[in-house]
Amino acid sequence: MQSPDGDVIDCVLSHQQPAFDHPHLRGNKPLNPPESPNGHKSNPNELENFQLWSLSGETCPEGTIPIRRTREIDILRASSLQTFGRKIKTPIRRDTISNAHEHAIGYVSPEIYGDYFPRFFTYWTSDAYQTTGCYNLLCSGFVQTNNRIAIGAAISPTSSYDGGQYDITILIWKDPKHGNWWLEFGSGVVVGYWPSFLFSQLRSSASMIQFGGEIVNTNPSGFHTSTQMGSGHFPAQGFGKASYFRNLQLVDSDNSLIPLTNLKLVADHPNCYDIQGGINSVWGHYFYYGGPGKNQHCS
């Protein structure tokens, strides 16, 4: 299927996706989703279609999953075949607005995708990005179970400055019975899971949860990058202008959604990207974040 942004989406038999090249999974089939955490409710007002390729109602047949086709030009943008689909493993500084292990968020990466569309992606690693892991389904790891979501495909519609604002709900929780980490995206749509054998500490539980933004700063020409985080506007501008996370919760050892405790707001370089948070009865725990990068106060 041809997406309006030029992506080609292929429907692949679910048991032939890259995850099943792993020796622990070879010959198996995807698992059925476990029960959702206690207290979790899907948002009936959330959009059903939130990816560009499926706005016309396209899905893959049952028993298959949609995979964004990797083109030769995608591979050529990488510095080598070994680095294709992987995070940069150099001492380049990453400006972040929180701390923890990364799983899934929206991402803009012209190096990987060749454009500036925000995309839904996954990434896993078991050794802090040294030798393991990859984006999306580019290596054996994440097991997709859904025929409606194309991991790595462009998100649509997107929020606009001083215009319409769109939320996407993300839930990650550990199946208490089998230990796999499951991902739900949008209004109750279970996407798939990271098998427990991929990880070491995460086989038992997570010790930290991260929400926020990240950019790569290569200090071009000796100055801070002008790469934007979020909407490119500082959090003080508030709703409709700055990017935000809201209704932040965690899943405890009893498989129940509970309010956050000990939430810490951290901005590595607040003159470049900042963060402001709070709590209220409608949004629960929330924060606005982001910024323009290089500016008169950030060099």
Side-chain angles (χ1 to χ4, degrees):
M1 285 171 277
Q2 184 83 34
S3 175
D5 62 343
D7 282 353
V8 176
I9 307 299
D10 296 311
C11 297
V12 177
L13 290 171
S14 58
H15 65 280
Q16 293 182 353
Q17 63 182 288
F20 291 95
D21 292 334
H22 196 286
H24 283 81
L25 293 177
R26 196 168 293 136
N28 294 327
K29 293 184 177 181
L31 300 174
N32 293 322
E35 291 185 8
S36 297
N38 301 317
H40 173 56
K41 296 180 181 179
S42 299
N43 182 1
N45 297 319
E46 191 156 16
L47 295 174
E48 287 297 323
N49 285 334
F50 33 72
Q51 289 194 300
L52 200 55
W53 77 279
S54 59
L55 287 181
S56 62
E58 295 280 3
T59 61
C60 283
E62 291 294 330
T64 70
I65 63 166
I67 296 182
R68 178 185 179 272
R69 183 181 298 179
T70 299
R71 302 165 298 173
E72 180 181 4
I73 192 172
D74 296 328
I75 299 174
L76 291 176
R77 279 193 298 270
S79 58
S80 68
L81 280 174
Q82 289 71 31
T83 60
F84 173 68
R86 299 186 54 166
K87 281 208 166 187
I88 300 172
K89 190 181 65 175
T90 65
I92 291 174
R93 188 177 73 211
R94 283 190 171 89
D95 286 327
T96 63
I97 287 185
S98 53
N99 309 295
H101 183 80
E102 171 188 342
H103 265 321
I105 51 177
Y107 195 52
V108 176
S109 177
E111 293 80 9
I112 297 176
Y113 304 109
D115 56 41
Y116 290 87
F117 286 105
R119 295 170 179 271
F120 169 60
F121 85 99
T122 65
Y123 196 100
W124 71 271
T125 179
S126 60
D127 59 0
Y129 308 106
Q130 294 304 302
T131 61
T132 63
C134 63
Y135 286 99
N136 308 327
L137 305 180
L138 294 176
C139 66
S140 57
F142 186 81
V143 179
Q144 184 164 337
T145 61
N146 188 277
N147 66 335
R148 297 167 50 194
I149 306 297
I151 300 176
I155 296 170
S156 181
T158 56
S159 301
S160 59
Y161 182 81
D162 211 16
Q165 303 296 299
Y166 298 94
D167 294 339
I168 294 176
T169 301
I170 291 178
L171 171 68
I172 297 173
W173 81 103
K174 184 181 178 184
D175 175 9
K177 293 183 179 179
H178 302 289
N180 302 313
W181 290 86
W182 285 81
L183 170 64
E184 181 180 295
F185 182 51
S187 183
V189 179
V190 176
V191 181
Y193 60 95
W194 293 270
S196 61
F197 62 74
L198 293 176
F199 306 108
S200 51
Q201 289 97 338
L202 282 175
R203 290 189 182 186
S204 56
S205 63
S207 59
M208 183 180 296
I209 300 173
Q210 171 183 351
F211 306 90
E214 178 184 81
I215 62 93
V216 175
N217 179 25
T218 58
N219 287 302
S221 303
F223 297 98
H224 194 286
T225 179
S226 58
T227 300
Q228 299 178 351
M229 181 185 293
S231 67
H233 296 270
F234 284 111
Q237 295 191 38
F239 185 77
K241 298 177 174 65
S243 295
Y244 60 86
F245 281 68
R246 66 186 182 95
N247 293 323
L248 302 177
Q249 297 175 290
L250 60 84
V251 181
D252 67 7
S253 58
D254 293 325
N255 199 37
S256 297
L257 272 173
I258 62 172
L260 292 183
T261 59
N262 196 31
L263 177 63
K264 297 181 179 179
L265 304 180
V266 178
D268 293 341
H269 301 89
N271 288 333
C272 310
Y273 317 101
D274 206 1
I275 184 168
Q276 293 181 3
I279 181 172
N280 62 39
S281 60
V282 179
W283 277 23
H285 286 280
Y286 70 89
F287 61 84
Y288 291 98
Y289 74 102
K294 182 184 175 183
N295 62 78
Q296 60 180 341
H297 302 296
C298 167
S299 58

